[in-house]
Amino acid sequence: MNAECKVCMHRCNLEEGQYGRCRARRNVGGEVVASNYGKITSLALDPIEKKPLYRFYPGSKILSVGSYGCNLTCSFCQNYSISMVREEETDTITLTPEELADKASKLREHGNIGVAFTYNEPLIGYEYVIDTATILRERDMKTVVVTNGSVTKEVAKELLPYVDALNIDLKGFTKEYYKQIGGDLETVKNFIALAAKECHVELTTLVIPDENDSVEEMRQLSQWVASVDEQIPLHVTRFFPRWKMTDRNATEVNKIYELGEVARESLKYVYEGNC
């Protein structure tokens, strides 16, 4: 029996046993389930600023956790070894939501405030995020999500009440660019607008030479963000060659600062990154 996955804009129509484009959701008995539920590839205690979140409990630390899979196909992906693979192509351990929350609790003495779901795309397995967040909230701990924001409104509305803060990748501001990386700009814009009403939101734009580095695009991007909330922090971040995109140099530092100034025309909080 075929089943449609309703998590993201791809709306994959899956045959029995088939995986979606994300490599992590699968049709099992006519129901699309997250095969990466509780399957952990990465675990680290990070400064909150590394997410990056600069205006959410600055100076604190957070237990960062990743799984595998992603619903975009960015050729410059920093974590391609886990985001672009299936379970059998990487090493995992299994942690129940309770077990993950226990690990987070034990790290309080080291400044930990909760769990950040990151590294791969966490929302292709949003059920695990919600289940863990429910336990964390009972323990007065925080849930952070670092995401590309490429999920449907239905998933966003189900998820956001459980999340305290997000860093959302706003990868560019043209439909063509998002199509190139396998995404949809309007889906991300809708997610940002919904998230900004529910919890703390910061945005990151990775500036890539000859792709999304024009002054006009940054001006349009930052003006739109300001129309949602001018106090949303924007991280304007420098690109370094990675994975399949090694055909160009790292972004010039001066370009990052130039675009940062453009963004400040509209936004109160702009941070240049990787410089």
Side-chain angles (χ1 to χ4, degrees):
M1 180 186 300
N2 283 22
E4 182 184 67
C5 182
K6 299 180 181 179
V7 169
C8 81
M9 62 280 161
H10 295 310
R11 298 275 184 176
C12 295
N13 186 25
L14 305 176
E15 298 177 359
E16 173 65 31
Q18 184 181 4
Y19 287 89
R21 289 180 54 161
C22 65
R23 306 171 183 83
R25 298 191 73 84
R26 184 185 186 195
N27 179 354
V28 178
E31 180 183 0
V32 180
V33 300
S35 64
N36 67 349
Y37 186 99
K39 304 291 178 62
I40 307 304
T41 59
S42 308
L43 202 61
L45 186 63
D46 288 330
I48 193 76
E49 289 83 2
K50 193 176 178 180
K51 297 307 96 190
L53 289 171
Y54 280 18
R55 304 192 66 80
F56 183 78
Y57 291 86
S60 65
K61 295 192 177 170
I62 195 153
L63 179 61
S64 299
V65 59
S67 185
Y68 62 87
C70 184
N71 55 352
L72 298 185
T73 51
C74 304
S75 59
F76 47 84
C77 182
Q78 299 296 299
N79 294 319
Y80 65 91
S81 61
I82 59 173
S83 65
M84 297 296 155
V85 300
R86 294 184 179 180
E87 181 179 359
E88 62 269 22
E89 298 171 316
T90 189
D91 295 324
T92 66
I93 62 171
T94 300
L95 291 175
T96 66
E98 188 83 31
E99 289 170 335
L100 180 55
D102 286 345
K103 286 184 177 293
S105 297
K106 290 176 182 177
L107 290 168
R108 281 183 192 262
E109 61 185 82
H110 299 287
N112 183 42
I113 62 170
V115 173
F117 296 89
T118 180
Y119 301 136
N120 73 309
E121 174 46 54
L123 297 190
I124 57 175
Y126 75 96
E127 299 94 336
Y128 185 64
V129 177
I130 291 175
D131 291 347
T132 306
T134 301
I135 300 168
L136 291 171
R137 187 157 291 180
E138 292 170 354
R139 302 182 185 188
D140 195 28
M141 301 191 81
K142 304 301 181 185
T143 297
V144 168
V145 176
V146 182
T147 174
N148 61 35
S150 297
V151 293
T152 61
K153 288 183 179 179
E154 293 84 356
V155 169
K157 289 177 180 178
E158 186 175 349
L159 168 86
L160 289 171
Y162 297 91
V163 176
D164 298 291
L166 300 104
N167 185 287
I168 305 168
D169 282 333
L170 182 53
K171 294 179 181 289
F173 211 65
T174 67
K175 293 180 180 179
E176 293 75 18
Y177 184 60
Y178 261 92
K179 185 177 181 180
Q180 179 181 322
I181 60 176
D184 175 68
L185 176 59
E186 291 305 311
T187 298
V188 180
K189 288 169 65 177
N190 288 336
F191 183 79
I192 292 169
L194 286 170
K197 296 176 183 177
E198 293 278 347
C199 48
H200 179 84
V201 169
E202 301 192 22
L203 305 177
T204 296
T205 298
L206 181 71
V207 177
I208 301 177
D210 302 321
E211 297 289 348
N212 63 345
D213 62 343
S214 73
V215 166
E216 185 55 34
E217 183 169 344
M218 179 55 69
R219 181 167 285 121
Q220 291 177 5
L221 183 154
S222 54
Q223 287 176 347
W224 177 82
V225 174
S227 74
V228 177
D229 186 344
E230 66 179 9
Q231 299 202 50
I232 293 176
L234 174 65
H235 300 262
V236 181
T237 305
R238 188 181 181 206
F239 159 85
F240 289 92
R242 186 69 168 163
W243 196 32
K244 295 181 178 180
M245 189 173 279
T246 56
D247 61 341
R248 63 202 73 195
N249 296 324
T251 315
E252 294 289 340
V253 171
N254 289 345
K255 170 61 73 171
I256 297 299
Y257 284 107
E258 176 190 13
L259 296 181
E261 288 304 312
V262 171
R264 287 188 183 91
E265 296 171 4
S266 302
L267 297 171
K268 186 172 182 180
Y269 302 110
V270 178
Y271 303 100
E272 293 86 359
N274 288 349
C275 294

